[in-house]
Each structure stands twice: as C-alpha cells, then as structure tokens.
Amino acid sequence: MIVQTALLVGLVLFSVLAIVLRDLLKAAISLAVASLLLGIVFFRMNAPYAGVFEISVVAGLITVLFILTIALTNAGEEVRESRIVRWVFPLFFLAFIVIDALVMKGLLQKIPALPSAPEIGTFGDVLWKGRTLDLVGQIAVILAGVFAVLALFRKRDKHD
Amino acid sequence: MITPYFVIIPLAAAFLIPLVSKRKTGPAVLLSLASTFALVVLSGYAFFGRSGETLVYRMSGWKLPVGINLVQDAFSSFMLVMVSLIALTSLVFSPRYIDRLGGDAKYYSLFMVLVAGMNGVVVTGDLFNLFVFMEIAILAALALVAYGGRAHEFEAAFKYAVMASVSASLILIGIAVAYSATSSLGLATISRGLERQSPILVLWVGGLFMAGFGLKTAAMPFHAWLPDAHSSAPAPISAMLSGVLIKALGVYVLIRFFYNVLGAPPLFLQIFLVLGAVSIILGVLLAIGQWDIKRLLAYHSISQIGYILLAMGLDTTLGMIGAVYHMLNHAVFKSLLFYNAGALETALGTRDLREMGNVSKLLPVTSGTSLIASLSISGVPPFNGFFSKLVIIIAAVQAGQPLFAFVAVVGSLLTLASFLKVQKFGLRGGRPVERLIGEVDGGMKTAMILLAALCLVTSLLIVPGIRETTIDPVVKVIMEKTGHAQIVLEK
C-alpha cells in the first residue's frame, strides 16, 4: 500500500513537473519518469502488457523523439507565454485535487470491482481476434498521423 | 452485408490516393470523387432500400460480449447519407480552392480518412471502437484545419487539439467506468448492464460522456474551440466540420448514448434543454458582432446545434423529428454558406464583410445560392430551415415548454438579422465590386447549386407521405430507447 501510494504520488508530481518546468529538456525527462512510474503501477496491478507498452513506447521511444527534437531545434528563440497560463494551471490543479479528495472516494466505492472476466483466450487472442477492428482503427490513426505530417510540412508556394 | 464497406471504401481510397497520384492531383480527385459517390449510392440504398431493418455485422464472427459488432439501423443509415452527400459536394468544391493553397494529393487522403472516421463512428456498435474511429476523424480534421499552413491556422488547430484531447480523456474515463461496471464494451450489452447498476453510476458515466461528447458538439459552455477551428480551415473543410463532423461525433453519439443506451434519463434531457437554449441565444448574439464571414458562420453553428439539443431534450416523438430533420437541414445550408464564403474569399481575396461590396452582377451563382442559404438558416418559408424550426417550436409548445419555444423564435429572428448583415455588406449592398482577383470555377458553382437545390428538396421531407419513409424510421429507432439493445442482441 505504501509503495503504491508513493508510486502514485511520484506519478502526479512528475506529471506536474513536466508541465511547469520551463526547460524543455527537463520537462521531457520528467514526463519519461512519470510514465516509467505509471508502467510500474501497471505491472503491480497485474497488467504486464500495458506496463511493457507504457515503458517501451511512452517512457522510451517518445522521450527519445522529444529529446532528439529539442536537440535539433534552436534553443535560443524563446517563445513568450502569456502570464495567465502561469497561474491558471496551478489553480486548476488545486481545484482538481480538492474535488478529487471530496468526491472520488465516495464515487469509487459505488463501482463494483471488475469481476474477473471468463477466460476467453490469451492476450494475443483477444487483441487479434476479438478486437480486430480496433487494430485496423489504430493503423488508420497512424496513417492519418503520417498524412498529417506529410501534408503540413509539404513544400508550398507562397500564397500569403 | 454492406455495413463494413462504409469504412473500407474511404479507408482504402485514403491508402490508394498517394499511390496513384505522385505529382498531379487529378487522379486523387477522381479516386476520392468515385469512392465518395459509391458511398452516396451505398448509403442511399441502405437508407431507402433497407429502411427499418437493423443490420448487425460481427467482425471476425465473434459474438457480442467479446467481439466488435457493427450495427446499422435507420438512424445510422440516415447519418451515412448525410455524411456522404456533404462529402461529395465538398470534394466537388475542393480542387480549385485547394490548388490555390498549394495543395497536393495528401489533402484528399486526409479527407478520405476523415470520412472513414465519421462513418466508423456512425456504424460501430462498440463503445471503444467508437472512440478509436473518433480519434481517426479528429486527427484528420486537425491536419485539415491547419492545411493552409499560416500561423493562425496552426494556432486554431492547436487549440482544437487541446480541446479534443481533453474531451478524449473524459470519454476514455467514461468508457473505463462503463466497462468496469458492466464488463463489456458493446453498446447493447452496456445498456443491459447499466440497467442493473446504481443510479449514481449511470449519473457518473452520463456526466463524463456529456462533457466529452459535448465538447465535440460545441454546445455553449464547450464551444471555445469551434469559431477558431471552423473559420481557419479551408472552406470545403469548414463545411465538413460544421456540416457533419460536429453531428456525427457529437450529436449522433449523444442521441445514441442517452436514448438507446441510457434510456433517456430525465435529468440529462433537462440539461440538454438548457444547454440548447443557452447555445441558441448566445451563439447567435456572438455571431451578429462578427465581421469575418467564416467566423460569423462558425458562431451560427453553435446556435443551430442549440436547436438540435433543445429538440432532443424534449423527449417527445415530435421533438425528435425536429432534431433529426434540423440536423439534415443544418448540414445542407451550413455547408452551402461555407462554400459561399469560400467562393467570396477566392473571388475577392478577403473574408472581412466590410471590405466586400455588391457582387450580385459579377458572381450571380454565389450571391443567388447565398440568398437561398441565408433564408434557409433564418427559417423563411419555403426553404428547409423553416419547416424544421417550426416542428421544433411546435414540439416545445406541445411538451409544455413555451419558454423554450419562445427562445427558439427569438433565436430565429436574431439569425435573420445577422444574415441580413451578411447580405447587405457581403453581397448586395455598398458600391459594386469592379474586378475579381480569382475565378469561381465550375466545380465550386456545381457544389453550390447542388446544395441550393437540396435546400428546397429537403423541405419536402415534411410532407407526411415522404416523412413516413424517411424521418419516421429514424425517429422510431431513437424512441425505442433501450428496447433497441434487445433488437441488436437478438440478431
């Protein structure tokens, strides 16, 4: 219980750091740490596949991409942020924590624990056979992402 | 079984387009037009030929609690017809306009992905699958909003992306709660499962979905992203977004979920009534003050969505007829108005109403169709908008909500005022424009004339004989409420 709480507190802490830190590199690393902790939480909750994906893709691959991008772009140009952003996020975060503390416990008790589903096959069976269309959908999402990147970074005539 | 083809055809076209057209956009235009035309024909067949039937298609042959099923009933077919029709006109309008933006074949790929996502949302009978298709459509929409590539377009797309991910998180939490309570993801099985759960749980799931899909619908408290996104997108995409995207991803899912899954809980319907009324008035008030023609139209989308939400909140058959009918009508006239705005922008090089002038001589088609669309949206007979608003107002009075009927009437008058402004400054008033900087080509004209004709044709749907075969089956499916789950499960 203590380990779990520590992991969850760490998760929230590093997620907040990822947002409030001004240094992009530090922010990217905080995000990686947060998702690493989330991956460990998944493992401890008997969801090894989710944990593996979380750590390998989110903590690993995406962090590498972030750091690569930050390293390749100019660090000199600072974009000015409006002042409102600086105090809006902490304010919302605090409000969220308060509401969370007041409401969530009561609500969560109302939900029955997920009954262990009848064994219908291995993880692979369910993913590839039962949820085929979702996989096709995921492929389409990636396809849309690729088209989006290609379309938005295309060479264009100066029209404006 | 025709149901899966509504996803397969556009998705396959999206894959094929980059293969067939390397440099020139010609083959891409042809392929996307052909596949969209096929979708129009298929959806027309599904709606008119198989009306009243509920088709269930099991992906990979797995039965409901485990696998994903596609469900196509009159309501889904109705939405498919709407999406395909607007997509077809949008593609007819596109080529010249997109060339001007330095466009290439990827535009058409993204467009087909957008259509595939919307069709997927409409035909799927599985909650998580719906979420996946929603993400497909949103991702394509984001890229298309920023397609012009100027700074403010990227800013609008970014704003849209932030709002879309907030709504996606809310929806995902809602799915998680529904799944943990019912151990299933099929809409029909969730409907069955939630009946046995405590009302608090239903409240929680409903609240999360209302906020999540409310953001997609852009009703009043959730509207902040819409005016930016819809006004920054290229005109044919604005037409798709305002005309069908907010309906397929927003209104359709709200109606499907709150009526067919939750069985129309009165508390939520009350909230829809209020949200609708607030959106009608505030949306149109914000619209009147705008000078950017596309921004003005975008604010009107919020107001018109308000009519649909108000009508669906009444929980009467007549109200639902009004909601479904207005959904179709709004798709037709709002798309037409965005095409008009796109044509004006092409011809005059500006979107600011103050810089426009009298173009009725130079652009007879644009100004003529724009008059028809303006009269439709303001609810002037004999155009379609009049009839659907009339049905909504009568339904509100019959349901014992005269105050909401009054709001609808006031909203309609204010809409008329704001479109008089568009006509006066943008098209008919002021000094005549002498020279156009761009040409409104045949494709654009065809798209506008097609939709202007539809503005008249769809007003025929109110004729009882025609209504019985078109709108009534759709309303029947919705008003079956949770009984619909039974029909799906028995198939």
Side-chain angles (χ1 to χ4, degrees):
Chain A
M1 191 65 196
I2 297 171
V3 181
Q4 189 79 351
T5 316
L7 282 172
L8 290 176
V9 169
L11 171 60
V12 173
L13 202 71
F14 278 101
S15 311
V16 171
L17 277 181
I19 296 172
V20 288
L21 282 179
R22 311 279 298 159
D23 186 335
L24 286 179
L25 200 60
K26 284 179 191 154
I29 292 169
S30 309
L31 189 65
V33 175
S35 73
L36 188 69
L37 293 177
L38 184 63
I40 298 171
V41 173
F42 282 156
F43 268 112
R44 291 172 50 86
M45 294 173 89
N46 280 333
Y49 290 105
V52 166
F53 281 125
E54 181 70 30
I55 290 176
S56 64
V57 177
V58 183
L61 180 68
I62 290 181
T63 311
V64 170
L65 289 178
F66 274 147
I67 292 177
L68 207 66
T69 315
I70 295 166
L72 290 176
T73 45
N74 274 345
E77 292 172 47
E78 279 230 352
V79 181
R80 277 178 165 245
E81 244 177 83
S82 87
R83 286 249 179 93
I84 307 169
V85 179
R86 268 183 236 167
W87 57 265
V88 159
F89 173 71
L91 215 66
F92 263 89
F93 187 66
L94 271 181
F96 181 77
I97 295 276
V98 170
I99 294 170
D100 203 29
L102 290 177
V103 182
M104 277 303 175
K105 202 170 180 196
L107 274 175
L108 282 176
Q109 281 165 350
K110 294 282 194 314
I111 303 179
L114 180 63
S116 50
E119 277 298 317
I120 40 168
T122 62
F123 176 77
D125 270 354
V126 174
L127 190 62
W128 290 105
K129 291 178 186 160
R131 311 288 307 176
T132 327
L133 196 57
D134 282 347
L135 285 181
V136 175
Q138 289 299 332
I139 295 168
V141 169
I142 295 170
L143 182 76
V146 171
F147 284 141
V149 171
L150 288 177
L152 294 182
F153 292 95
R154 71 190 186 276
K155 276 186 192 160
R156 54 170 72 86
D157 314 327
K158 284 174 194 154
H159 65 275
D160 52 342
Chain B
M1 295 298 276
I2 57 170
T3 313
Y5 290 100
F6 289 104
V7 180
I8 294 171
I9 292 175
L11 210 53
F15 267 109
L16 285 176
I17 284 168
L19 299 180
V20 296
S21 64
K22 283 270 172 354
R23 293 246 161 67
K24 288 178 183 162
T25 51
V29 178
L30 274 183
L31 186 58
S32 48
L33 272 177
S35 47
T36 327
F37 187 71
L39 287 176
V40 172
V41 173
L42 263 184
S43 59
Y45 166 70
F47 186 61
F48 293 105
R50 311 287 295 265
S51 193
E53 269 183 84
T54 302
L55 310 170
V56 178
Y57 180 87
R58 291 191 191 83
M59 294 304 292
S60 348
W62 288 62
K63 284 202 173 169
L64 229 181
V66 182
I68 296 172
N69 59 352
L70 302 180
V71 180
Q72 190 178 9
D73 48 32
F75 189 22
S76 323
S77 303
F78 176 78
M79 295 299 294
L80 289 172
V81 171
M82 204 168 90
V83 172
S84 324
L85 261 182
I86 301 300
L88 185 67
T89 58
S90 178
L91 279 172
V92 170
F93 187 89
S94 286
R96 183 66 190 250
Y97 191 92
I98 294 304
D99 275 351
R100 202 171 56 85
L101 294 179
D104 55 8
K106 282 149 212 143
Y107 168 85
Y108 299 95
S109 290
L110 281 168
F111 190 97
M112 293 320 288
V113 173
L114 178 69
V115 174
M118 282 194 282
N119 281 356
V121 166
V122 171
V123 295
T124 187
D126 182 283
L127 197 53
F128 189 75
N129 197 232
L130 190 150
F131 177 79
V132 173
F133 279 118
M134 189 189 79
E135 288 293 288
I136 297 173
I138 287 290
L139 202 55
L142 286 174
L144 288 168
V145 165
Y147 196 78
R150 284 170 287 191
H152 70 94
E153 286 156 345
F154 276 107
E155 189 193 332
F158 181 72
K159 224 180 199 177
Y160 190 9
V162 171
M163 295 307 256
S165 33
V166 169
S167 82
S169 317
L170 289 170
I171 294 165
L172 197 58
I173 299 172
I175 294 175
V177 175
Y179 182 58
S180 70
T182 61
S183 303
S184 81
L185 286 168
L187 287 173
T189 42
I190 287 178
S191 168
R192 283 315 206 46
L194 282 180
E195 275 173 5
R196 293 190 296 271
Q197 299 291 342
S198 79
I200 294 262
L201 191 88
V202 174
L203 208 64
W204 204 18
V205 177
L208 284 165
F209 279 132
M210 189 171 207
F213 290 107
L215 266 165
K216 300 268 186 274
T217 315
M220 206 51 191
F222 312 115
H223 68 285
W225 58 273
L226 184 138
D228 281 325
H230 289 204
S231 62
S232 299
I237 296 306
S238 307
M240 284 297 280
L241 297 181
S242 260
V244 285
L245 187 81
I246 52 174
K247 300 196 189 74
L249 264 53
V251 180
Y252 167 82
V253 182
L254 284 177
I255 293 181
R256 183 64 94 195
F257 192 78
F258 283 95
Y259 274 82
N260 288 148
V261 176
L262 294 184
L267 173 70
F268 285 111
L269 296 189
Q270 283 291 322
I271 299 176
F272 281 128
L273 262 182
V274 176
L275 285 188
V278 172
S279 303
I280 289 177
I281 295 296
L282 290 184
V284 75
L285 285 179
L286 285 167
I288 286 184
Q290 303 299 322
W291 286 102
D292 179 335
I293 181 167
K294 281 175 83 179
R295 228 179 148 71
L296 185 146
L297 295 178
Y299 275 111
H300 272 295
S301 290
I302 300 172
S303 169
Q304 299 298 315
I305 283 291
Y307 279 95
I308 302 171
L309 289 184
L310 189 149
M312 78 174 260
L314 292 171
D315 194 19
T316 59
T317 307
L318 192 63
M320 199 44 84
I321 290 176
V324 169
Y325 191 21
H326 199 63
M327 203 147 63
L328 175 69
N329 292 347
H330 180 249
V332 172
F333 58 63
K334 185 48 69 66
S335 304
L336 176 52
L337 283 166
F338 270 115
Y339 296 156
N340 294 147
L344 282 177
E345 196 188 348
T346 310
L348 303 174
T350 177
R351 290 194 332 220
D352 193 325
L353 287 171
R354 285 166 295 197
E355 291 169 18
M356 296 176 183
N358 192 340
V359 289
S360 46
K361 284 264 162 55
L362 286 174
L363 300 169
V365 174
T366 309
S367 58
T369 52
S370 140
L371 185 65
I372 292 178
S374 300
L375 293 177
S376 294
I377 193 173
S378 319
V380 175
F383 300 106
N384 55 8
F386 168 75
F387 295 105
S388 50
K389 283 185 181 176
L390 187 69
V391 171
I392 292 174
I393 291 164
I394 294 173
V397 173
Q398 273 191 358
Q401 306 276 14
L403 183 68
F404 289 105
F406 180 70
V407 166
V409 174
V410 171
S412 198
L413 289 176
L414 291 172
T415 309
L416 184 62
S418 91
F419 277 95
L420 283 178
K421 171 181 165 181
V422 171
Q423 293 297 326
K424 178 165 181 260
F425 286 92
L427 294 140
R428 281 155 215 290
R431 60 190 164 72
V433 173
E434 278 156 16
R435 209 171 55 83
L436 303 177
I437 63 162
E439 186 207 353
V440 177
D441 74 332
M444 293 181 178
K445 284 179 189 160
T446 315
M448 289 190 282
I449 292 171
L450 211 63
L451 282 182
L454 271 181
C455 276
L456 273 171
V457 171
T458 46
S459 58
L460 290 177
L461 293 188
I462 199 67
V463 178
I466 302 175
R467 200 193 67 211
E468 276 155 25
T469 53
T470 50
I471 296 179
D472 283 357
V474 180
V475 175
K476 184 169 157 275
V477 168
I478 299 168
M479 296 312 276
E480 274 164 0
K481 300 190 178 164
T482 45
H484 184 65
Q486 185 64 36
I487 297 171
V488 172
L489 288 172
E490 276 167 8
K491 282 276 173 175

